[in-house]
Amino acid sequence: DTAVSQTPKYLVTQMGNDKSIKCEQNLGHDTMYWYKQDSKKFLKIMFSYNNKELIINETVPNRFSPKSPDKAHLNLHINSLELGDSAVYFCASSRATGANEQYFGPGTRLTVT
Amino acid sequence: AQSVTQLGSHVSVSEGALVLLRCNYSSSVPPYLFWYVQYPNQGLQLLLKYTSAATLVKGINGFEAEFKKSETSFHLTKPSAHMSDAAEYFCAVFSTGRRALTFGSGTRLQVQP
């Protein structure tokens, strides 16, 4: 009964392809996030959703499109993958949009060749 | 804008020695500060959180951090390191304007036997 789960754990693909990463949380939280962690371990928020509504949309290329079908799921679709998209992508959730503890998924390591 | 700076990208201690990981913050308002830990190939886990209730905050696994406004610091300490403490540690500040966490660059803790 993993709290925040992501699939797949590893994703290797070629430049130009389109791929999706799925995230699900069973904590009953209202807010979900996507983070990108680069090769130097630097973590940066990409998006956040609260109750299926987009709250944060950082300066991310519009090739990245989040989708929240319900408040327990937040998927990330990436079009026309580029080498620079290689990173670990983390999904997280929290009770609400305030300064609450965020629970992180195990990450998806994306490698673009 | 609120930010955190972690001094020292790598810290190495002997098992049983004091652990001190440094974090300084920049904020024009009372900050919400966090320490997260990331074990190899895993997501982040909350160690502790400062919300102005008490300047000394105790967390999990024997860690604690002290909020010092005069020094704009929130350093993480543990009296006696265990091998299992080897991980990447991230300091973070919650930005009320952005409604998002801003993470520091991380500090890798190595524990030598």
Side-chain angles (χ1 to χ4, degrees), chain A residues 31 47-51 53-57 97, chain B residues 98-99:
Chain A
T31 308
F47 304 102
S48 79
Y49 271 74
N50 185 63
N51 243 330
E53 179 188 348
L54 181 65
I55 302 297
I56 295 172
N57 185 352
T97 56
Chain B
R98 290 173 62 234
R99 287 183 287 178

Side-chain angles (χ1 to χ4, degrees), chain A residues 9 33 35 37 40-43 45 48 55-56 58 90 97-102 104-106 109, chain B residues 32 34 36 38 41-46 49 51 88 90 94 98-101 103-106 108:
Chain A
K9 189 166 176 60
Y33 310 82
Y35 287 89
Q37 186 174 48
K40 295 185 177 176
K41 301 284 189 179
F42 184 66
L43 260 169
I45 188 157
S48 79
I55 302 297
I56 295 172
E58 290 289 291
F90 287 100
T97 56
N100 299 293
E101 176 178 0
Q102 294 186 17
F104 283 76
R109 183 175 295 275
Chain B
Y32 292 101
F34 300 76
Y36 280 85
Q38 183 179 25
N41 299 314
Q42 293 187 29
L44 280 72
Q45 179 183 2
L46 181 70
K49 169 184 168 182
T51 58
E88 191 88 22
F90 293 93
F94 182 78
R98 290 173 62 234
R99 287 183 287 178
L101 283 176
F103 285 89
S105 52
R108 173 163 291 179

Side-chain angles (χ1 to χ4, degrees), chain B residues 11 25 27 31 42 66 68 76 80 85 89 102 108:
Chain B
V11 170
Y25 69 89
S27 177
Q42 293 187 29
E66 186 172 8
K68 291 188 177 179
L76 183 70
S80 175
D85 294 326
Y89 291 79
T102 299
R108 173 163 291 179

Side-chain angles (χ1 to χ4, degrees), chain B residues 35-102:
Chain B
W35 276 100
Y36 280 85
V37 60
Q38 183 179 25
Y39 298 104
N41 299 314
Q42 293 187 29
L44 280 72
Q45 179 183 2
L46 181 70
L47 276 177
L48 50 82
K49 169 184 168 182
Y50 170 75
T51 58
S52 77
T55 56
L56 184 63
V57 183
K58 293 189 183 300
I60 62 170
N61 301 340
F63 284 93
E64 63 182 37
E66 186 172 8
F67 176 76
K68 291 188 177 179
K69 185 178 177 181
S70 61
E71 298 177 9
T72 61
S73 68
F74 189 57
H75 301 331
L76 183 70
T77 59
K78 181 174 180 177
S80 175
H82 295 161
M83 296 297 290
S84 60
D85 294 326
E88 191 88 22
Y89 291 79
F90 293 93
C91 182
V93 62
F94 182 78
S95 167
T96 49
R98 290 173 62 234
R99 287 183 287 178
L101 283 176
T102 299

Side-chain angles (χ1 to χ4, degrees), chain A residues 3-72:
Chain A
V4 182
S5 59
Q6 295 178 229
T7 53
K9 189 166 176 60
Y10 299 96
L11 188 50
V12 181
T13 189
Q14 292 185 322
M15 281 174 41
N17 285 347
D18 303 338
K19 290 292 179 186
S20 291
I21 306 172
K22 295 181 185 292
C23 177
E24 176 181 1
Q25 55 95 3
N26 63 6
L27 297 167
H29 288 166
D30 284 345
T31 308
M32 296 185 73
Y33 310 82
W34 277 111
Y35 287 89
K36 179 180 180 180
Q37 186 174 48
D38 65 21
S39 58
K40 295 185 177 176
K41 301 284 189 179
F42 184 66
L43 260 169
K44 187 175 179 196
I45 188 157
M46 300 172 71
F47 304 102
S48 79
Y49 271 74
N50 185 63
N51 243 330
K52 302 195 298 175
E53 179 188 348
L54 181 65
I55 302 297
I56 295 172
N57 185 352
E58 290 289 291
T59 49
V60 175
N62 57 15
R63 298 182 294 104
F64 290 78
S65 53
K67 282 189 172 53
S68 182
D70 55 62
K71 72 175 192 176

